[in-house]
Amino acid sequence: MEWVDVRDVHIRIRIPEDTQALFHLYFLERTALFSGLNLNRVLAHDFDKDTHGEKIFVAIVHEQIVGFISVWEADPFVHHLYVMAHYQGKGIGKRLHNTAISVLKRPVTLKCLKRNAKAIVFYSALGWVLEGDGMDDFGEYVLFTLK
């Protein structure tokens, strides 16, 4: 596993040249997360549709996009946060989170699949409060709020 110094991680707003790398990352991470579901629902080209109108920040390590977060500013909502598996646990998700939260008005909400226990622990550790739960096409989820 590659060692990453936090000083090697750069967070910036998405630019058009990021598109292919984001498509690839989105597809890889969603197919891993949603294994067992119909993969016809998880296509790389869905990225533009699924993030339309959202502000996107990317995390870059050694000139490679290793993660991103997308947020809806009008009704403060964290929609997507993905970090490549071998870069997880290095503070990249937290940096993306903190950058995105800094541009949103509070309270902020997000939904997280119940089966994504790692993400639930991550958000809880960052101060998100469980507000409820529900069900959508991808399964059972919990609703978090950050005040």
Side-chain angles (χ1 to χ4, degrees):
M1 182 180 289
E2 178 185 2
W3 182 78
V4 176
D5 185 316
V6 70
R7 293 172 295 192
D8 293 333
V9 179
H10 302 283
I11 309 293
R12 65 162 168 75
I13 202 80
R14 173 198 183 179
I15 59 173
E17 292 79 11
D18 297 337
T19 300
Q20 287 299 56
L22 287 169
F23 281 6
H24 182 72
L25 173 61
Y26 187 66
F27 179 76
L28 289 178
E29 295 306 315
R30 284 181 61 93
T31 53
L33 178 62
F34 296 118
S35 64
L37 293 179
N38 180 352
L39 290 183
N40 289 332
R41 296 197 44 132
V42 183
L43 300 173
H45 68 267
D46 287 342
F47 178 80
D48 278 339
K49 177 179 63 93
D50 292 348
T51 60
H52 180 75
E54 297 177 354
K55 181 171 273 194
I56 301 170
F57 295 93
V58 296
I60 300 169
V61 175
H62 306 300
E63 299 181 26
Q64 177 188 8
I65 293 177
V66 300
F68 76 90
I69 188 168
S70 70
V71 297
W72 185 253
E73 291 180 285
D75 184 19
F77 182 76
V78 174
H79 191 195
H80 298 284
L81 172 55
Y82 292 107
V83 176
M84 289 179 158
H86 62 279
Y87 285 97
Q88 292 177 8
K90 300 176 185 312
I92 295 170
K94 184 176 182 179
R95 295 252 328 262
L96 283 164
H97 169 273
N98 291 345
T99 300
I101 294 303
S102 74
V103 303
L104 296 174
K105 293 180 181 171
R106 305 255 182 126
V108 182
T109 59
L110 68 80
K111 293 190 318 187
C112 182
L113 289 176
K114 284 186 177 181
R115 67 177 144 154
N116 193 349
K118 200 172 179 181
I120 290 171
V121 169
F122 172 80
Y123 290 118
S124 296
L126 292 173
W128 291 80
V129 176
L130 181 63
E131 296 285 343
D133 57 16
M135 174 77 91
D136 65 15
D137 291 344
F138 292 109
E140 292 181 89
Y141 65 83
V142 293
L143 179 67
F144 279 110
T145 301
L146 184 65
K147 296 183 179 182

